[in-house]
Each structure stands twice: as structure tokens, then as C-alpha cells.
Amino acid sequence: MTAVLSRPAAPPLRRDRRRWAWGLAAPAAVGWALASALDGGVLNPAGGTQFGRFAGAALSPALDGAFLGVLGTAALVTVAYAVLGTALALVLGAAGAVLLARTTWGGRRLGWAAARGALAVPRGLHEAVWGLLLVNLLGLDPWVGVLAIGLPCGAVTAKVFADLLDEVPRGPYDALLAQGSGRVAAALYGLVPQATGGLLSYAVYRLECAVRSAVVLGLVGAGGLGYQLSLSFSSLRWPEVWTAVYALALLCLGADVAGRAVRRRVAAPRRRAGTLSRDRVLTAAARAALAAVARAWWFLALSPASLVSARAREQAGYVLGAAWPPAGGGDLLREVARQAVVTLQTSVLAIAVATAGAVLVAGPAARLAGRSAPGRVAGALVRAALLLLRAVPPPVWALVLLFVLLPGVLPGALALGVYTLGVLGRLTAEVVEEADARPRSALTALGARPAGAWLYGVAPQAAGPVLAFALYRWEVAVRDTLLVGLLGAGGLGALLASRLAVFDWPAVTTVLLATIALTLAVDLVSERARRALR
């Protein structure tokens, strides 16, 4: 009698309730935010003429020598702030990463959680908020721009660096511990060398972000291209506005191209005769970075003495004394809660707009092999448009949209959505570029149409990373919502600006604590969502 061998039955596919819960919660949240944004009037017909003038000036920017000279000097100021802010952020990030990595804390989870919680305070506030606070302490000193970029970006860099250290193999680290080394020394010699590529790559990316942060600080009075853009906008000189916008785009393009080149070389180290060799381009880039830091320090005429001057100490003592304890009146707390809801609605709607737009442009924007000449031209145009969207700060988009939209959630959300689309569109295009091309090629060879090959061959691979990027950008959008609110688009930012205007420091502290708490809550929700969608 012959025995019949059968394969064990495959386990049945089960519905992941967590994914379904998040899948239903996301459209419900977007619907809630959209309903609030469309409540009441939306359009402002009176501003259509001015919006037309603004749009028409895009083809006739101001190119006179005097204005271009002013923009050139302003660009140097912006670059100097970005370079020094990045240098400070990297120093703080490198120092904090070893102390924040889960690996170096071992089983002491309480200490690790406390360190991460302390880190959330500086990174929970936007660079513009730091700038406004530091102006009250230091006055119009160039240290304001450097510290406003370096402190929050340093906290973010420390978190990212710590995560990179936690991802590398622990073998060398454990071996050094076994030989009696301390945890910090073991991390420096056992973890950092393995993570060098990722650390350098993120350091270059941080410079690209610092350029945009320096522009934003210019909008609140720190000088540079952002300040010139603000002056031209307030005087309705649209040709000058577009010249400043194009200058910003070129500056961001330069940082983007340089960053891509360095990251490619870091990802693919040069080899000679089968062994690693020094990359002369990377060496030259490192020397140029050090020279740029020295040049920026000289250009801005920074003086460490101004940080500890008698005026700075006196003003810091006054502000800290006046700001604590925070205000706790019922009317203020109710207003804080109401504006926190507005901030949350604005960020949700903004990330929904940006994600939908990024999915639509990801295909054309991706650099894929085998494309026709018209496809390559269309891709270059889409990438240029995305660059322009992320080069213009969100407050400028908000001011433009307020020509044709009434104040409220909608103009702030659309301004943030347009800006975030520029960032998320680029990230989504890179995800598509790195996706395995074989499924799409196989479907095309079997006769599938391009849309079908894309839907079944690329979309399943890209869905996870794109959702992760969207959730990460939601965290950033909450902080950017505060920036848009500072210029009158509503939310906690508008409330903060009104309290700063009258030097109501206890109320300022309350609003700042509410902002940090909201940022932490969004970080927690975003982390849970990413974990469920993996």
C-alpha cells in the first residue's frame, strides 16, 4: 500500500486588525479636518487681481544690477547661517548620539526614556520659534540665527545618529565591553566606525535642511534671502519676489546636487586593487566644509563674548523669571486647546494633500532607465517644479494663498501641503527609483499596459516606504504649522505671536508647553502607525 504524502497546508491569511484600524482612522481624520476647513466662507474674490499680478510676474523677474547685488549679499548671509547652524547641529548630534543610543543604555530603559524625553523639548519647537525667543535674549545678534538652527537641528541629529548606531551589529561593541571598556568608549570604537557611511550621509542632508531653515529665519528678521523676500512681498514688488524665489531655488539646487554627489560616494567607497583607498573628492569636500565654517564665522563676525554679556545675562534672568510659572487661567487653557485642534487639523490636511500629490508625481519624477526623450523632459520639468515648491518657505505660500482664500485652516493647510509636496515628492520618486524593476518589466513583457504594470509591479513595493515618509513628514508638518500660524494663519502659532507681541511670558510658556505636548503626541501616534504598517 502506497502512502500518500501531502504538504502541510499553508497557514490561512488573516486580516491584520491594526492595519484596518489605521486604514479607517486616516480617512476619518482627513474628513474631519476638511470639514472644518470648508466650514463657512472659503474664497476671497477681491484678491484675484493681485494674485494674477503675482503669477504674471513669474515670467519677468527683476534683473537690475542693484537688486541682484543685494540678493548676492543676502545669499551669503543665508549660506553662512546654514553652514554654522549645521556645524553646531553636528557637534551636538555627535555628542548626544552616544548618550541617546539604546545600545549604550543597555537594560536601563528608564534612563534611556528620560534622555529621549529631554531631547523632545528642543526639537519640538520650530527654528522660527527659537529665533523669536533668542531675539528677546540676545537682540539682533548673528548668534540668534546660528543657535536657532543649531539647537533644534542638533536635537534631531542626535536622535537620528542614535538610531543609526542602534542599527549596526553589536559584536565589536560587546567585545569591547567584555574587555572592560566603558559603554561610551565601546560605542565610540565599536559602533561609530560601522555607522560612518550613514552618519556622513545624514550630515550632508542636514546642510540641505539648514539652508531652508536659514531662509525661514530671514522671514522673521534674521537677515538673508528670506528677509529680502519678506521686504519685497510686503511692498508688493512681485518681480523682485520672483527673483528672490528663483535665487532660493538655485541655492537649494546647489545644496541638493552637492549632497547627492557626496552621498553617492559615501555609499560606494572607492577601491584600488581590491582595497579601500582615500577618495580625493570626499577629502576635498571635508576640507572645503571646514574652510566654509571658518569663512562663515568671519563673515558673520561672531563673538562668543556676546553670549555671556551682561545684557544677555540680565535679559535671560528677566525672561526666565517672568516666564515661570506658566499661566493657567481657564480662558487661556480653553483657547490653547482650541488652537491646538486647529493646528492638528491643519497638519492632517496638509499631509493628506502632500501625500496624494506625491503619489501622482512619483512616476514622472523618478529617474528610470529606458524612458523616451519626451518622458525624460517631462521628468526634468516635474523635478524642477518640486524643487521650486520646497524652495519657497510655507509662510510665503500662505501669504500668496490668502489673496484668494479667506483666513482659516484651509490656506495654512494648502501652504504646508504645497511645500511638503516638494519634499515628499522627491522622497517618493527616490523610492520608485530604488524599487526592483523586474516585476514591472515582467508585466510589460506579458502585455500589461504601463498603468497596470505600475499598479501591480511598483506600487506594492513603494507603498510601505511612502507611508513611512508621509507619517514622518506629518511630525514635521506639526512644527511647520506653528510657523505658518506665526504669520496669521491660525493655530498655536498665531496664539504664540499674539502673546509674544505683548510680552505675556507666562502665557508664552503655556503655549510652548502645549506645542511640545502636541508634537510628542503626534510623534507617538506616528510611531505606532509606522509599526502597524510594517
Side-chain angles (χ1 to χ4, degrees):
M1 190 172 181
T2 305
V4 178
L5 299 178
S6 61
R7 295 181 179 179
L13 293 176
R14 295 183 178 179
R15 179 179 297 174
D16 191 327
R17 293 182 178 179
R18 293 185 305 165
R19 292 190 178 186
W20 275 91
W22 286 109
L24 294 175
V30 174
W32 167 66
L34 186 60
S36 176
L38 299 179
D39 185 21
V42 174
L43 295 179
N44 178 23
T49 302
Q50 197 64 250
F51 182 82
R53 293 174 181 172
F54 166 78
L59 300 178
S60 56
L63 298 176
D64 58 282
F67 184 67
L68 291 179
V70 171
L71 280 188
T73 303
L76 292 177
V77 173
T78 297
V79 171
Y81 280 135
V83 168
L84 289 176
T86 301
L88 177 59
L90 294 179
V91 170
L92 295 177
V98 176
L99 301 177
L100 290 171
R102 186 189 293 269
T103 302
T104 58
W105 282 96
R108 295 170 292 178
R109 297 181 59 86
L110 182 60
W112 173 81
R116 288 281 176 130
L119 186 73
V121 175
R123 71 183 178 89
L125 299 178
H126 195 278
E127 292 91 331
V129 177
W130 277 104
L132 291 174
L133 296 176
L134 289 168
V135 162
N136 285 278
L137 299 179
L138 302 175
L140 298 178
D141 192 277
W143 274 110
V144 170
V146 176
L147 293 176
I149 296 173
L151 293 178
C153 293
V156 174
T157 302
K159 179 179 181 295
V160 174
F161 279 8
D163 291 341
L164 290 173
L165 293 180
D166 286 336
E167 292 295 325
V168 301
R170 290 172 50 102
Y173 172 79
D174 292 335
L176 289 171
L177 285 182
Q179 294 176 4
S181 297
R183 290 186 179 274
V184 174
L188 289 175
Y189 294 100
L191 298 178
V192 172
Q194 301 181 77
T196 299
L199 298 176
L200 288 176
S201 179
Y202 183 79
V204 176
Y205 170 71
R206 198 69 255 172
L207 176 61
E208 302 173 28
C209 299
V211 170
R212 293 194 287 270
S213 298
V215 171
V216 168
L217 287 172
L219 293 174
V220 294
L225 281 174
Y227 182 65
Q228 292 302 321
L229 178 60
S230 177
L231 290 178
S232 299
F233 201 104
S234 61
S235 58
L236 305 183
R237 298 177 181 176
W238 304 130
E240 292 184 359
V241 168
W242 279 104
T243 303
V245 166
Y246 293 144
L248 290 175
L250 289 176
L251 200 59
C252 291
L253 178 62
D256 184 31
V257 171
R260 280 177 175 268
V262 171
R263 286 198 297 272
R264 280 198 301 268
R265 287 184 173 269
V266 169
R270 294 289 187 262
R271 293 180 180 272
R272 182 176 299 171
T275 60
L276 291 175
S277 61
R278 175 178 296 180
D279 191 319
R280 294 182 179 179
V281 175
L282 287 180
T283 302
R287 291 174 178 171
L290 294 176
V293 170
R295 169 74 180 181
W297 187 285
W298 171 84
F299 182 78
L300 293 178
L302 290 180
S303 173
S306 61
L307 295 175
V308 293
S309 65
R311 180 194 177 280
R313 294 197 306 270
E314 179 183 355
Q315 190 66 11
Y318 164 73
V319 170
L320 293 176
W324 197 264
D331 292 341
L332 176 63
L333 294 180
R334 282 191 291 271
E335 183 63 17
V336 167
R338 190 177 72 85
Q339 297 300 339
V341 171
V342 172
T343 297
L344 186 60
Q345 291 172 331
T346 303
S347 66
V348 168
L349 195 55
I351 205 64
V353 170
T355 304
V359 170
L360 291 175
V361 304
R367 294 180 174 90
L368 299 177
R371 278 195 166 168
S372 61
R376 290 195 296 271
V377 172
L381 293 176
V382 172
R383 289 191 294 273
L386 292 175
L387 174 65
L388 191 63
L389 292 182
R390 65 178 181 267
V392 179
V396 175
W397 288 120
L399 292 173
V400 170
L401 290 170
L402 283 172
F403 285 143
V404 293
L405 297 174
L406 295 175
V409 172
L410 189 60
L414 290 179
L416 280 175
V418 167
Y419 170 77
T420 307
L421 171 59
V423 179
L424 196 57
R426 171 195 166 186
L427 295 174
T428 304
E430 291 177 352
V431 169
V432 172
E433 292 170 3
E434 295 172 2
D436 189 351
R438 290 175 295 180
R440 183 168 62 92
S441 301
L443 289 170
T444 302
L446 292 172
R449 294 184 177 182
W454 172 268
L455 183 62
Y456 294 101
V458 177
Q461 302 180 64
V466 169
L467 286 175
F469 280 132
L471 289 167
Y472 167 71
R473 289 304 307 182
W474 182 33
E475 304 169 19
V476 178
V478 172
R479 293 187 284 271
D480 287 343
T481 302
L482 201 70
L483 169 63
V484 174
L486 286 172
L487 298 181
L492 288 173
L495 183 58
L496 178 64
S498 66
R499 297 299 90 199
L500 281 171
V502 296
F503 303 104
D504 187 355
W505 294 111
V508 167
T509 303
T510 301
V511 176
L512 293 179
L513 290 176
T515 301
I516 294 171
L518 181 61
T519 303
L520 288 175
V522 169
D523 286 351
L524 178 61
V525 173
S526 177
E527 174 62 26
R528 292 288 181 88
R530 287 198 299 268
R531 193 179 304 169
L533 295 172
R534 284 174 184 169

